[in-house]
């Protein structure tokens, strides 16, 4: 089995920073792309950022220049550094990873981390 465990969410004031982590464990051969999504109340889940095995990144326009996605392949862990946070960034953030196991590649999801930006 494979698990993705997130950490690092919380309450922060506008303009502040948070760092989310996503640690993968289990029967992992390798991890392909990793992603961060978010879902605000009453809205659909949206892709925030993605990163390939080789470190190529992409971002939603709404977070470009403020958020940075990264990964540590040796630790099977992904990160989302969020700076200059705005109230509209408030959402539950989910990590996802395309994980290669012995006989299949499958997308796994983290449990979700609440990020609240408020004064």
């Amino acid at each position: 089995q494979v698990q993705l465990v997130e950490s690092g969410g919380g309450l922060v004031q506008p303009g502040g920073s948070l760092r989310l982590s996503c640690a993968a464990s289990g029967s992992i051969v390798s991890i392909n792309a990793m992603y961060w999504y978010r879902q605000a109340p009453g809205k659909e889940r949206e892709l925030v950022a993605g990163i390939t095995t080789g470190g190529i990144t992409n971002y939603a326009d709404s977070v470009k220049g403020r958020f940075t996605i990264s990964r540590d392949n040796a630790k099977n862990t992904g990160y989302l550094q969020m700076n200059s946070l705005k109230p509209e960034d408030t959402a539950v953030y989910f990590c996802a990873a395309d994980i290669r196991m012995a006989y299949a590649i499958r997308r796994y999801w983290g449990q979700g981390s609440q990020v609240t930006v408020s004064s």
Side-chain angles (χ1 to χ4, degrees):
Q1 267 294 19
V2 173
Q3 275 191 315
L4 295 184
V5 177
E6 299 179 35
S7 59
L11 172 65
V12 64
Q13 292 187 341
S17 298
L18 281 175
R19 188 193 197 205
L20 302 179
S21 298
C22 175
S25 62
S27 302
I28 299 169
V29 173
S30 62
I31 300 176
N32 293 345
M34 300 185 77
Y35 311 90
W36 288 94
Y37 289 77
R38 68 185 180 187
Q39 187 165 20
K43 294 188 177 181
E44 293 186 355
R45 189 173 297 190
E46 64 171 346
L47 177 64
V48 174
I51 184 169
T52 67
T53 305
I56 298 172
T57 59
N58 67 283
Y59 298 93
D61 288 343
S62 58
V63 306
K64 280 181 181 176
R66 300 188 297 121
F67 290 13
T68 302
I69 188 171
S70 62
R71 61 191 288 172
D72 184 334
N73 292 331
K75 295 182 179 179
N76 287 338
T77 300
Y79 306 96
L80 185 68
Q81 177 69 42
M82 303 182 291
N83 299 328
S84 302
L85 282 160
K86 305 175 181 179
E88 51 263 44
D89 294 318
T90 295
V92 178
Y93 285 70
F94 298 89
C95 67
D98 296 332
I99 294 178
R100 179 185 296 274
M101 296 168 287
Y103 301 106
I105 297 175
R106 180 185 161 186
R107 180 165 295 186
Y108 285 86
W109 292 85
Q111 80 277 17
S113 298
Q114 178 67 49
V115 172
T116 302
V117 184
S118 175
S119 55

